Amino acid sequence: MASETRDTARPSAPGGVSFSLSDPTVRAVFYQVLVVGIVIAVGWFLIHNTLDNLSKRSIATGFGFLEREASFGIGESLIDYHPRDSYGRAFLVGVLNTLKVSIIGVVLATVLGTLIGVARLSSNWLIAKLASTYVEIVRNIPPLLQLFFWYALVSESMPPVRQALNPIPGVFLSQRGLFVPVPSADPVWGTMGVALAIAVIGVIFLRRWAKARQERTGQPFPIGTASLGLLIGLPLIAYIAGGAPTALDVPKLQGFNFVGGVVLTPEFFAILVGLVVYTAAFIAEVVRSGILAVNWGQTEAARALGIDSGKTLRLVVLPQALRVIVPPLTSQYLNLTKNSSLALAIGYPDLVSIANTTLNQTGQAIEGVAMIMGTYLVISLGISIFMNWYNKRIALVER
């Protein structure tokens, strides 16, 4: 009788499926649903409370301000911009400037950090000590102080515009930055860009074909030479076919500044060099730890086969070390991208700087901060997705 009572008291669904919290699966689902519900409720309360307070104080909300005229200038821009343009276009300028610093910085920091990391393991005592000193000094100085140092180095040590240094014809260096000539506008440059894109696609397919050929026949293909020939040859053919223009847009002094050519401003120089030098110190340690993680027997085996040190590092050690290097390297890429927001301190018009000016003029603080957070989130997720894909692609496959 007691057994029958217990059976009838236990709640169950049709078909005999139990929903008792004593079931670990049911309990796990219940608590997850409960947590999600609490998060949604808290989020709804915060949003509703914020909107209610803004309404009571007659503070405008929404992103309609992005269509209004910005009415402020921006010193550097990858796209055409005028103060008469909208806040939305100004924000786009900031995003592109941030991406420019981040992409160039990631590439340069990777190269410099790899070289320094390898140098720390050098058998040459002087090179190893110099690399070690660089790492220990640079990574223990706050990045903001380093940005101030590099900015002051250019702005204080360089001559004024009218006394600009002219090391080679057409190149000028002053407190306003480095001015260099560039090729004049011509349709051939677009054609060369298309040719380069075709060459890159060709290299991808060529590498796959060469790998399949080697696995099938055992014969290696000179993929490096062939790839270099494609990447240089196709754009060169397009350049020659387009008439091989040689006209240059040379900087010229007009009034209080140079016009023409392109300029590397002190602000861009300071933020780029500061981030590269700082991040490279951490990447160097990541590379060093990855190399040390590779069993020394791999190097000994390569030497026994008569492979020189350079090829051993490039073909044997580094490919195996990448599985250790890539995960922490992703964190350094993310740090460099987020540290680019320090550009606000030296006047470089990045995302944070332009968004800060926008929210000060419009009073749309919540929207402005949300746009900053959303943009950095998208960029960071993009970096993480790419690096995770690359990490899976280079992972060693056990047989």
Side-chain angles (χ1 to χ4, degrees), residues 309-341:
S309 300
K311 288 186 177 180
T312 298
L313 178 65
R314 181 168 55 89
L315 301 176
V316 178
V317 178
L318 282 181
Q320 298 182 69
L322 282 176
R323 70 184 191 275
V324 179
I325 292 174
V326 170
L329 189 63
T330 303
S331 298
Q332 297 307 319
Y333 289 168
L334 295 174
N335 288 338
L336 187 149
T337 301
K338 290 179 286 189
N339 284 338
S340 66
S341 61

Side-chain angles (χ1 to χ4, degrees), residues 107-122 127-128 130-132 134-135 276 280-288 291 313 318 325 329:
V107 174
L108 296 180
T110 302
V111 174
L112 180 60
T114 302
L115 293 176
I116 295 173
V118 173
R120 287 205 67 181
L121 300 173
S122 173
I127 293 177
L130 287 176
S132 178
Y134 167 88
V135 170
V276 168
F282 291 90
I283 292 179
E285 287 297 274
V286 171
V287 172
R288 184 176 70 93
I291 293 175
L313 178 65
L318 282 181
I325 292 174
L329 189 63

Side-chain angles (χ1 to χ4, degrees), residues 120-398:
R120 287 205 67 181
L121 300 173
S122 173
S123 57
N124 186 300
W125 182 87
L126 180 60
I127 293 177
K129 290 301 179 183
L130 287 176
S132 178
T133 301
Y134 167 88
V135 170
E136 295 303 328
I137 291 177
V138 171
R139 70 176 182 173
N140 288 297
I141 299 177
L144 184 59
L145 294 181
Q146 297 190 39
L147 296 186
F148 286 147
F149 168 78
W150 291 111
Y151 183 69
L153 183 67
V154 177
S155 60
E156 299 296 334
S157 62
M158 293 296 106
V161 173
R162 293 187 177 276
Q163 286 79 45
L165 302 176
N166 185 207
I168 58 177
V171 177
F172 301 91
L173 182 61
S174 71
Q175 292 177 344
R176 297 289 183 88
L178 176 66
F179 295 83
V180 297
V182 293
S184 299
D186 193 284
V188 72
W189 308 123
T191 305
M192 290 180 64
V194 174
L196 180 61
I198 294 174
V200 171
I201 296 174
V203 168
I204 295 174
F205 283 101
L206 182 64
R207 290 179 66 89
R208 292 181 178 179
W209 173 83
K211 182 178 180 181
R213 175 179 179 267
Q214 184 171 358
E215 291 176 350
R216 185 176 65 255
T217 65
Q219 298 179 355
F221 182 82
I223 186 64
T225 304
S227 299
L228 188 62
L230 276 176
L231 294 174
I232 296 177
L234 283 183
L236 182 61
I237 292 173
Y239 175 71
I240 296 174
T246 58
L248 294 177
D249 182 14
V250 181
K252 296 179 181 178
L253 181 62
Q254 289 186 7
F256 297 99
N257 204 354
F258 289 93
V259 295
V262 295
V263 57
L264 176 65
T265 64
E267 294 80 12
F268 178 73
F269 172 83
I271 185 66
L272 180 62
V273 173
L275 292 179
V276 168
V277 169
Y278 179 74
T279 309
F282 291 90
I283 292 179
E285 287 297 274
V286 171
V287 172
R288 184 176 70 93
S289 63
I291 293 175
L292 291 177
V294 178
N295 193 296
W296 179 250
Q298 299 290 319
T299 302
E300 292 180 329
R303 290 179 178 176
L305 293 174
I307 304 176
D308 59 57
S309 300
K311 288 186 177 180
T312 298
L313 178 65
R314 181 168 55 89
L315 301 176
V316 178
V317 178
L318 282 181
Q320 298 182 69
L322 282 176
R323 70 184 191 275
V324 179
I325 292 174
V326 170
L329 189 63
T330 303
S331 298
Q332 297 307 319
Y333 289 168
L334 295 174
N335 288 338
L336 187 149
T337 301
K338 290 179 286 189
N339 284 338
S340 66
S341 61
L342 297 174
L344 176 66
I346 58 174
Y348 178 72
D350 74 322
L351 165 65
V352 176
S353 175
I354 293 176
N356 185 57
T357 302
T358 299
L359 66 89
N360 284 334
Q361 290 187 356
T362 63
Q364 310 284 138
I366 295 177
E367 292 82 354
V369 173
M371 291 171 65
I372 295 173
M373 294 172 59
T375 303
Y376 276 113
L377 178 62
V378 171
I379 295 174
S380 298
L381 288 177
I383 294 174
S384 298
I385 291 172
F386 173 78
M387 294 300 291
N388 288 336
W389 167 82
Y390 181 71
N391 190 36
K392 290 181 180 178
R393 190 171 183 272
I394 63 173
L396 296 179
V397 179
E398 297 183 359

